[in-house]
Amino acid sequence: MAFGHFSDDEVQESADINVTPLVDVMLVLLIVFMITMPVLTHSIPLTLPTTANPTEQTEPKSPLRLSIGADGQYKLGEQTLSLTQLQNDLHLKAQADPDLVLAIAADKHVAYDHVAQALAAARDAGLVKVGFVTEDKS
């Protein structure tokens, strides 16, 4: 876009560059970076637990395996249980060992309701270490 003045003698075009949009964009970017940089550098202070003796290695316990079949049957170890029996059994095992680890292996075709009921039974029993058994694709 050329700017000039109106005269009958000659028409001169101005060769000035309009830098106002450039300054506007740069100011917006400056403001955005000024606001986002403190958020990006913000850290959460954590106090991580330490072991009393770092050279001493303890063997992890083998988890209690809960299998849920495609038909919704619960198997705790080798024992087939109903939902109420599972709740009672998990409650007894959690009282005997509060650090019990529960590994849930559910069939991929089982209705999620059965898995949710097993998770609720584990929560009600007081189990806090619950994991899911998965299959490696390779």
Side-chain angles (χ1 to χ4, degrees), residues 8-28:
D8 295 337
D9 310 12
E10 60 187 60
V11 175
Q12 290 184 347
E13 292 184 359
S14 175
D16 294 337
I17 297 174
N18 190 2
V19 294
T20 305
L22 177 66
V23 171
D24 289 345
V25 169
M26 294 307 287
L27 285 175
V28 168

Side-chain angles (χ1 to χ4, degrees), residues 11 13 34 66 74 79 86 96:
V11 175
E13 292 184 359
M34 286 173 55
L66 172 64
Y74 299 105
Q79 188 179 18
L86 175 68

Side-chain angles (χ1 to χ4, degrees), residues 43-105:
S43 63
I44 299 170
L46 293 177
T47 305
L48 298 175
T50 58
T51 60
N53 190 358
T55 59
E56 180 182 313
Q57 295 289 333
T58 58
E59 274 301 308
K61 293 186 224 176
S62 61
L64 179 63
R65 188 177 179 103
L66 172 64
S67 300
I68 306 173
D71 56 353
Q73 271 192 333
Y74 299 105
K75 275 182 97 170
L76 193 61
E78 296 298 320
Q79 188 179 18
T80 303
L81 303 168
S82 68
L83 182 61
T84 55
Q85 291 171 332
L86 175 68
Q87 290 170 339
N88 294 334
D89 205 13
L90 286 178
H91 188 68
L92 291 174
K93 290 185 186 292
Q95 283 180 342
D97 184 11
D99 289 335
L100 182 68
V101 178
L102 180 65
I104 299 176

